[in-house]
Amino acid sequence: MAINVALLGAGRIGKVHARAVSATEGATLVAVADAFAEAAESLARAYGARVGTIDEIASAEDIDAVVICTPTDTHADLIEQFARAGKAVFCEKPIDLSLERVKACLKTVADLGATLMIGFNRRFDPHFRAVREAIDAGRIGEVEMVQITSRDPGAPPPSYIKSSGGIFRDMTIHDFDMARYLLGEEVTTVYATGSVLVDPEIGKLGDYDSATVVLTTGSGKQCSISNSRRATYGYDQRIEVHGSKGAVAAENLRPVSIELATQDGYTRPPLHDFFMTRYMDAYAAEISAFVRATETGQAPSPSGDDGLKALALAEAALKSVAERRAVGMDEV
């Protein structure tokens, strides 16, 4: 069965997903929509697709699924519109910045029996998946502690900060999902700290650019997350899981994995510069999984509920920073 896909949003992440759809067997990118006509036309032309409006795509009989890459404040409305239109929906995180709005959206999706997958692409990274597979195989025994390091090469502009929901809802939310993925238990307590060490403008907007979060589960398992909007050495993405019988880790990746030894010492190439190249394989794999779920009718993962739980952890982190205390998940 061939799956015809429409892309909503032709910006940076839209281009990443357009490439992923075009590389997925059994999927065809047939339409692109964007508020900026030139962006939509350029991307559609690159992949042999047509340009359409949101409403035209919703009513098009030849479109089976949509990939939503529009601004966050449009996500929930678009999910509901396309669920009602009978299209399978893939949506970038977060579903919305409001927990109540997310819950209402997910109720609509459930009532309609629609297919919804949320874009937590790091679950599909081959290296992070190998860590999870080692855990599932019992190679390190029972998981006890998880460490996640996630640092961007540079801070986004203030205009982005204003609409993103802040570091916990925008950046750390990926790490919250990865923590749940690796811990194997739901988090019960969140303790977070946030600072402005990179760009004073971020602080003026009420956000943070440097954060540390400690998550604890009911059985006492722990996860520590380190975030920064500045890593002068590249896109820093590492995880380590410590268990009762050992540990497993995924280190940073480089576009070229070589090491040069001279009289001056050992040197290696720099890290990937950002997520578009570091997670290219992950984006391709998650879109492939979405297409397969659309074909088979199986429930996709990560689900809307995964999106809700990651956002709830972000809300708990914000509350923890503001009140300078550990916050129970029953408080959000």
Side-chain angles (χ1 to χ4, degrees):
M1 175 183 176
I3 301 297
N4 287 340
V5 180
L7 182 73
L8 313 182
R12 183 172 61 177
I13 192 63
K15 292 175 181 176
V16 170
H17 284 309
R19 184 187 307 117
V21 171
S22 69
T24 299
E25 185 178 354
T28 304
L29 181 64
V30 297
V32 178
D34 194 277
F36 297 95
E38 185 176 339
E41 289 166 2
S42 176
L43 194 60
R45 186 165 53 250
Y47 291 95
R50 67 180 186 266
V51 174
T53 66
I54 296 293
D55 290 342
E56 287 170 347
I57 290 171
S59 62
E61 294 183 0
D62 67 331
I63 294 175
D64 307 297
V66 295
V67 174
I68 299 175
C69 306
T70 54
T72 295
D73 60 3
T74 67
H75 287 180
D77 289 345
L78 289 174
I79 289 170
E80 291 174 341
Q81 179 178 356
F82 283 92
R84 292 189 180 102
K87 316 294 188 190
V89 179
F90 175 97
C91 185
E92 270 300 324
K93 59 76 195 168
I95 297 171
D96 194 81
L97 299 180
S98 162
L99 282 173
E100 293 308 311
R101 181 67 183 96
V102 173
K103 290 175 184 177
C105 178
L106 295 184
K107 183 179 185 304
T108 298
V109 170
D111 290 346
L112 293 167
T115 295
L116 172 63
M117 181 172 169
I118 303 301
F120 287 123
N121 64 292
R122 296 180 192 181
R123 291 193 184 203
F124 296 90
D125 176 72
H127 308 275
F128 291 178
R129 280 213 153 184
V131 169
R132 173 61 186 266
E133 289 166 3
I135 294 169
D136 292 343
R139 301 284 299 277
I140 64 166
E142 288 294 317
V143 171
E144 296 175 348
M145 303 180 75
V146 176
Q147 290 182 299
I148 300 174
T149 300
S150 180
R151 300 170 184 151
D152 287 355
S159 58
Y160 177 85
I161 296 293
K162 289 178 182 178
S163 61
S164 70
I167 191 169
F168 293 115
R169 297 190 189 100
D170 170 57
M171 181 178 178
T172 323
I173 195 168
H174 277 292
D175 305 311
F176 289 140
D177 182 69
M178 184 53 52
R180 294 183 59 242
Y181 180 68
L182 297 173
L183 284 167
E185 290 183 10
E186 293 299 339
V187 173
T188 56
T189 307
V190 177
Y191 181 76
T193 62
S195 302
V196 181
L197 304 174
V198 177
D199 185 351
E201 290 300 315
I202 291 176
K204 291 177 183 178
L205 293 170
D207 194 19
Y208 312 97
D209 54 37
S210 309
T212 299
V213 185
V214 177
L215 310 174
T216 307
T217 71
S219 70
K221 296 180 182 181
Q222 300 173 21
C223 174
S224 62
I225 299 171
S226 174
N227 285 155
S228 175
R229 291 288 196 181
R230 175 174 59 199
T232 59
Y233 48 88
Y235 189 42
D236 191 354
Q237 300 286 291
R238 291 170 282 150
I239 60 173
E240 180 187 75
V241 184
H242 178 265
S244 58
K245 296 180 180 178
V248 58
E251 298 296 332
N252 273 317
L253 299 184
R254 293 167 169 79
V256 179
S257 295
I258 64 171
E259 185 174 67
L260 176 64
T262 69
Q263 63 182 5
D264 297 321
Y266 289 82
T267 60
R268 290 189 288 173
L271 305 180
H272 283 279
D273 58 0
F274 212 9
F275 65 87
M276 291 86 73
T277 57
R278 167 61 181 84
Y279 287 116
M280 186 178 294
D281 290 342
Y283 284 116
E286 73 173 351
I287 289 298
S288 179
F290 171 62
V291 169
R292 300 289 88 78
T294 302
E295 286 178 334
T296 63
Q298 294 180 336
S301 177
S303 65
D305 187 60
D306 290 318
L308 176 66
K309 287 177 177 175
L311 182 64
L313 289 169
E315 293 299 317
L318 283 165
K319 186 176 181 67
S320 176
V321 173
E323 300 181 6
R324 299 185 178 185
R325 67 178 180 88
V327 171
M329 289 308 296
D330 57 355
E331 300 181 56
V332 298

